């Protein structure tokens, strides 16, 4: 079995989840890290005993990589992916795939054309609560979904945006509360409903921030071709990161998720509960909470198992991430044009 040579592009907040996940594997070696802020790359390289670069294409060529992880600002996901795929390097990128649907589709096409595997992080699908609800929908125990609603009310202050040179902008972040904070919860809802989009009707606005271009509030309806209509409400001007909430009204019961905890109450009186396991942790850099990356580790392990022939397919294929990208972009189109987007 070949030991895969791995590089990570981007040494910011999400970097530890990827670095530690790779370094725990016996069949992968982290050989290089890259960041345009060279001091950050140097720091991580020294810490992990690897090489540092400030140009990812130079790193790809010099190290003859097998895999790259992309932990960059949103607008750079597509160009970095395409640079890797044309070199026949496998890619694991953070969410969202890109800023727009066309770039995301090009990423999938580039991977297929060059025979490499593209993975996109949507780790919350691995959370115990998410798994309970999905499994009970798949088994038929909950019956068909009749309707759904979700809420994300988090805190991203002006100070948070002042500390970034790309967040809060349309051209680099691609949006605000929807594409950055609410995207995971909206991905879960789409995954639960499991149907093609029919239409999106949304409103977006900036209600409480002084220095950003993008939306800090969004609400609307996402309708699916199987007849399900779901509602969403998202803001990032609350005073703390309140637990996200999802509720599904189904034929045979109601499924509720608050943060990672899911409670399924069936009409026959039975109740099922799944929550984060406090014993299920993973060790990262100091200052990083271990449970943040447990599901990251699970998804990254599945990705490498596929590359090494230990698993048949990705649990979260890039095509699934593309569907969520399409939904997110439709929210923005509807909000900006102030009209329904039909599919």
């Amino acid at each position: 079995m070949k030991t895969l040579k791995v590089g990570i592009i981007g040494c910011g907040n999400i970097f530890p989840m990827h670095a530690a996940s790779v370094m725990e594997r016996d069949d992968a070696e982290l050989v290089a890290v890259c960041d345009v802020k060279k001091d950050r790359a140097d720091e991580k390289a020294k810490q992990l005993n690897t090489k540092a670069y400030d140009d990812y294409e130079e790193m790809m060529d010099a190290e003859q990589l097998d895999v790259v992880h992309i932990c960059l600002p949103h607008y750079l996901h597509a160009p970095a992916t395409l640079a890797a795929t044309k070199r026949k390097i496998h890619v694991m990128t953070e969410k969202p795939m890109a800023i727009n649907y066309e770039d995301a589709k090009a990423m999938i096409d580039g991977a297929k054309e060059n025979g490499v595997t593209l993975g996109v992080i949507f780790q919350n699908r691995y959370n115990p609560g998410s798994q309970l609800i999905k499994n009970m929908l798949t088994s038929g125990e909950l019956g068909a979904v009749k309707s759904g609603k979700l809420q994300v009310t988090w805190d991203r202050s002006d100070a948070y945006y002042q500390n970034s040179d790309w967040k809060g902008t349309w051209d680099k972040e691609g949006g605000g509360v929807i594409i950055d904070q609410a995207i995971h919860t909206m991905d879960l809802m789409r995954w639960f409903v499991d149907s093609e989009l029919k239409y999106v009707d949304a409103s977006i606005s900036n209600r409480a921030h002084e220095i950003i271009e993008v939306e800090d509030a969004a609400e609307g309806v996402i309708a699916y071709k199987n007849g399900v209509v779901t509602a969403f409400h998202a803001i990032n001007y609350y005073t703390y990161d309140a637990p996200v909430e999802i509720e599904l009204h189904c034929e045979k019961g109601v499924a509720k998720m608050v943060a990672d905890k899911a409670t399924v109450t069936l009409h026959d009186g039975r109740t099922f509960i799944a929550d984060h396991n406090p014993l299920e942790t993973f060790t990262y850099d100091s200052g990083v909470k271990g449970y943040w990356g447990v599901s990251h580790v699970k998804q990254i392990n599945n990705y490498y198992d596929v590359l090494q022939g230990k698993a048949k397919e990705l649990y979260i294929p890039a095509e699934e991430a593309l569907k969520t990208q399409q939904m997110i972009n439709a929210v923005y189109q509807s909000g900006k044009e102030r009209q329904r987007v039909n599919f």
Side-chain angles (χ1 to χ4, degrees):
M1 181 174 58
K2 177 183 179 181
T3 298
L4 299 171
K5 297 175 64 177
V6 183
I8 301 178
I9 310 171
C11 298
N13 292 336
I14 206 69
F15 173 90
M17 282 69 166
H18 291 260
S21 298
V22 171
M23 296 186 74
E24 279 293 307
R25 293 192 65 95
D26 295 331
D27 56 3
E29 178 187 3
L30 182 61
V31 299
V33 298
C34 179
D35 199 295
V36 291
K37 299 174 181 178
K38 189 59 162 47
D39 58 323
R40 294 206 304 190
D42 288 337
E43 178 186 355
K44 296 300 183 185
K46 181 178 180 181
Q47 177 185 338
L48 301 174
N49 192 29
T50 188
K51 297 179 183 178
Y53 290 85
D54 59 8
D55 182 311
Y56 63 74
E57 294 197 72
E58 179 184 346
M59 178 182 73
M60 292 177 190
D61 292 335
E63 299 298 332
Q64 296 292 296
L65 300 175
D66 298 301
V67 186
V68 292
H69 290 238
I70 297 174
C71 305
L72 293 168
H74 300 169
Y75 75 107
L76 295 173
H77 290 185
T81 295
L82 294 175
T85 58
K86 76 177 184 181
R87 292 171 168 82
K88 302 190 183 304
I89 299 172
H90 301 287
V91 177
M92 169 60 82
T93 182
E94 271 292 332
K95 61 78 185 169
M97 289 186 75
I99 284 180
N100 60 64
Y101 180 84
E102 292 75 21
D103 283 349
K105 181 65 166 57
M107 292 162 68
I108 289 180
D109 292 343
K112 289 181 177 178
E113 289 168 5
N114 291 285
V116 296
T117 300
L118 172 63
V120 183
I121 292 289
F122 274 108
Q123 81 280 0
N124 285 1
R125 292 193 184 193
Y126 280 90
N127 293 351
S130 307
Q131 289 285 304
L132 173 66
I133 294 174
K134 183 63 174 181
N135 290 338
M136 293 191 72
L137 287 169
T138 301
S139 70
E141 289 181 276
L142 265 167
V145 178
K146 298 174 71 174
S147 62
K149 60 180 180 178
L150 69 84
Q151 178 171 275
V152 179
T153 54
W154 283 6
D155 172 29
R156 296 296 183 270
S157 64
D158 278 332
Y160 164 86
Y161 286 105
Q162 285 174 333
N163 288 329
S164 172
D165 54 9
W166 62 277
K167 288 184 179 290
T169 63
W170 286 113
D171 62 331
K172 293 181 179 179
E173 187 175 23
V177 65
I178 289 295
I179 202 168
D180 202 341
Q181 287 84 52
I183 188 171
H184 282 295
T185 312
M186 297 181 74
D187 173 73
L188 288 178
M189 179 67 82
R190 191 192 63 72
W191 185 48
F192 292 151
V193 174
D194 193 23
S195 176
E196 298 298 316
L197 297 173
K198 182 178 181 182
Y199 67 81
V200 173
D201 198 332
S203 65
I204 61 173
S205 58
N206 181 349
R207 295 176 176 169
H209 285 83
E210 298 290 336
I211 65 170
I212 65 174
E213 305 169 0
V214 298
E215 90 289 351
D216 62 13
E219 64 82 28
V221 169
I222 296 176
Y224 298 84
K225 291 184 178 178
N226 63 359
V228 176
V229 175
T230 66
F232 69 90
H233 171 243
I235 62 171
N236 66 4
Y237 53 81
Y238 202 49
T239 49
Y240 81 108
D241 288 356
V244 301
E245 298 180 28
I246 293 179
E247 180 174 294
L248 296 171
H249 179 212
C250 304
E251 290 177 330
K252 299 179 182 180
V254 174
K256 294 184 179 182
M257 181 182 294
V258 179
D260 291 343
K261 182 178 180 179
T263 303
V264 176
T265 305
L266 298 180
H267 296 328
D268 64 13
R270 290 180 295 157
T271 299
F272 301 83
I273 297 174
D275 198 359
H276 164 68
N277 180 355
L279 299 178
E280 190 176 39
T281 60
F282 197 80
T283 302
Y284 295 104
D285 295 346
S286 60
V288 178
K289 296 179 181 179
Y291 68 81
W292 283 358
V294 172
S295 293
H296 260 88
V297 176
K298 292 177 180 178
Q299 183 173 353
I300 291 170
N301 277 338
N302 169 252
Y303 179 79
Y304 279 92
D305 285 348
V306 169
L307 296 186
Q308 295 286 20
K310 299 176 182 178
K312 291 184 179 180
E313 59 186 8
L314 295 179
Y315 186 68
I316 306 173
E319 288 77 10
E320 272 291 286
L322 182 64
K323 292 177 182 178
T324 295
Q325 182 80 43
Q326 182 185 46
M327 176 178 66
I328 295 301
N329 288 138
V331 169
Y332 286 128
Q333 181 183 347
S334 177
K336 290 177 180 179
E337 297 178 355
R338 299 186 179 184
Q339 63 182 7
R340 178 176 293 182
V341 175
N342 295 299
F343 293 89

